[in-house]
Amino acid sequence: MSRQTSRLDAKKVNSELLTLTYGALVSQMLKEIENTDDVNKQLERIGYNMGVRLIEDFLARTSSSRCLEMRETADKIQHAFRLYLNMQPTVTSWSSSGDEFSLVWDQCPLSEWVEMPSNGLKYCALIPGAIRGALQMVQLDVQCWFVQDQLKGDAITELRVKYIKRLEDAVPAGED
Amino acid sequence: MTIHNMYIFDRYGTLLYYGEWNRTKQSGMSLEEEGKLMYGMLFSIKSFVTKISPLDPKDGFMHYKTSKYTLHCLETPSGLKFVLNTDNQAQGVRDLLKKIYAEIYVKYAIRNPLCGIGEQINSELFKTKLDAFIKQTPNYAVRAS
């Protein structure tokens, strides 16, 4: 199996290409959509749709099994960040019940060379969307939001992930 | 050795794909009905196996065997089910299923934006790639019934 995984990993692109493409997407959306809140929502939705597909790619690459607790999930999210964005966020600030944690990073390829207008835009809103979408496919309902953002003058970027509930297995449709 | 047919289900029980290679006996119902029956059985076996297991089940249900054929099932953490019927001599089918997942399903269905999530796969590319993949496996060989 390992030989196959290495072959899958071969396609590497320059992160600048991603950065600029994402920048172009965001600026186009800002042009087309008046309200920045709506831009945030759209970005989150795009991220969600990406996450729903990305999870399959992630599972196939890492052949990881189902998580039994949130700490495992956090490790895997960290792994996914390394895999897809080549960054290593730190997992910190666990809540006492262990169902809430933060991902902290100080450099992200998406927000490189970005200066933010102060209009409430969440530039990286794609990321929480992707996390939510991906986890939903493995039956974890989570909430995901930015607590701190470097683009808004904070020292680091902090993304909070909160476990809501476990989505149950679907029962097959009843036989009539 | 033979590969008979294959079903791919999503986690809601939708039949995403059905492929057939060496099948000499048809079930006599529509594909849709057959898919429902198959998913229902898998669902029951899965819960039966987990409930009745005297040890903590790690992988859950993986395959069953009759006098004529073996049914192999791979379930991903995202709830996709890959079901493959082979003859009883087939070896290493689990790895084969993992490869189908990683190299065919993810590559040609998930990375294809025209293939909706949770919808039937109609992509010709997917079909040809899967066919070619199955036909080059050592487990595949046409055998007259």
Side-chain angles (χ1 to χ4, degrees):
Chain A
M1 275 315 277
S2 61
R3 190 164 47 92
Q4 256 68 39
T5 356
S6 62
R7 198 154 60 83
L8 272 174
D9 273 351
K11 272 187 202 154
K12 291 226 156 75
V13 293
N14 192 334
S15 73
E16 292 179 6
L17 179 64
L18 173 75
T19 311
L20 293 174
T21 316
Y22 186 67
L25 173 77
V26 177
S27 61
Q28 186 64 33
M29 284 171 75
L30 282 173
K31 253 178 232 160
E32 281 174 20
I33 306 169
E34 296 270 305
N35 190 343
T36 35
D37 274 349
D38 290 344
V39 177
N40 292 340
K41 261 185 219 146
Q42 287 300 327
L43 282 173
E44 213 264 350
R45 223 191 65 189
I46 296 173
Y48 175 83
N49 288 331
M50 283 169 79
V52 163
R53 286 173 188 262
L54 211 52
I55 185 71
E56 301 293 354
D57 186 77
F58 179 76
L59 292 173
R61 273 172 200 252
T62 57
S63 49
S64 50
S65 53
R66 193 161 275 199
C67 295
L68 297 173
E69 56 160 348
M70 276 310 270
R71 277 172 205 277
E72 252 178 279
T73 314
D75 280 350
K76 288 194 172 143
I77 293 176
Q78 200 183 24
H79 185 191
F81 267 99
R82 203 174 63 221
L83 200 60
Y84 294 111
L85 291 170
N86 193 25
M87 54 194 272
Q88 187 81 286
T90 333
V91 179
T92 52
S93 325
W94 280 94
S95 67
S96 53
S97 49
D99 62 351
E100 214 179 314
F101 62 91
S102 289
L103 289 157
V104 173
W105 63 79
D106 55 11
Q107 229 181 359
C108 169
L110 285 187
S111 55
E112 226 175 334
W113 318 310
V114 175
E115 252 180 274
M116 280 275 279
S118 50
N119 56 0
L121 174 72
K122 287 177 192 136
Y123 188 80
C124 288
L126 191 89
I127 296 177
I131 292 178
R132 192 169 65 86
L135 290 186
Q136 199 168 83
M137 296 310 277
V138 288
Q139 282 151 324
L140 284 173
D141 197 7
V142 296
Q143 223 171 23
C144 219
W145 70 94
F146 282 109
V147 182
Q148 297 183 69
D149 196 337
Q150 275 175 310
L151 296 172
K152 292 186 176 147
D154 296 314
I156 43 164
T157 303
E158 179 181 351
L159 185 67
R160 195 97 180 126
V161 180
K162 186 182 188 333
Y163 167 87
I164 309 282
K165 65 171 190 285
R166 202 168 180 93
L167 302 162
E168 287 307 321
D169 245 356
V171 192
E175 303 274 288
D176 308 322
Chain B
M1 290 194 271
T2 311
I3 288 173
H4 297 297
N5 56 357
M6 174 172 194
Y7 304 81
I8 303 177
F9 293 100
D10 80 350
R11 63 183 167 131
Y12 301 108
T14 320
L15 181 58
L16 297 180
Y17 188 78
Y18 174 73
E20 189 174 292
W21 292 276
N22 299 315
R23 181 175 185 176
T24 48
K25 187 193 156 292
Q26 297 297 330
S27 60
M29 48 181 134
S30 72
L31 181 57
E32 195 190 348
E33 260 180 292
E34 196 184 294
K36 274 188 192 161
L37 198 61
M38 176 59 90
Y39 186 81
M41 186 218 41
L42 288 173
F43 190 89
S44 313
I45 291 192
K46 204 183 111 184
S47 66
F48 173 78
V49 166
T50 16
K51 282 206 184 91
I52 224 73
S53 168
L55 305 165
D56 193 23
K58 275 213 175 75
D59 293 315
F61 166 64
M62 294 200 278
H63 54 89
Y64 75 68
K65 193 180 261 186
T66 74
S67 59
K68 289 279 187 196
Y69 74 102
T70 307
L71 176 142
H72 306 260
C73 178
L74 171 78
E75 188 178 358
T76 69
S78 54
L80 288 165
K81 286 185 184 66
F82 291 80
V83 182
L84 194 70
N85 285 319
T86 67
D87 66 355
N88 289 336
Q89 278 77 47
Q91 300 284 315
V93 181
R94 204 166 172 77
D95 284 341
L96 182 76
L97 283 171
K98 281 184 185 160
K99 271 194 193 165
I100 292 177
Y101 174 49
E103 286 174 36
I104 309 291
Y105 182 77
V106 169
K107 255 191 185 163
Y108 300 107
I110 289 295
R111 292 197 195 159
N112 179 355
L114 294 180
C115 281
I117 300 289
E119 287 168 23
Q120 229 184 333
I121 300 169
N122 294 317
S123 155
E124 273 301 312
L125 181 66
F126 177 83
K127 191 173 164 9
T128 22
K129 290 287 176 187
L130 181 64
D131 266 2
F133 184 82
I134 293 283
K135 283 182 180 154
Q136 55 93 34
T137 58
N139 279 327
Y140 180 85
V142 188
R143 184 214 263 165
S145 61

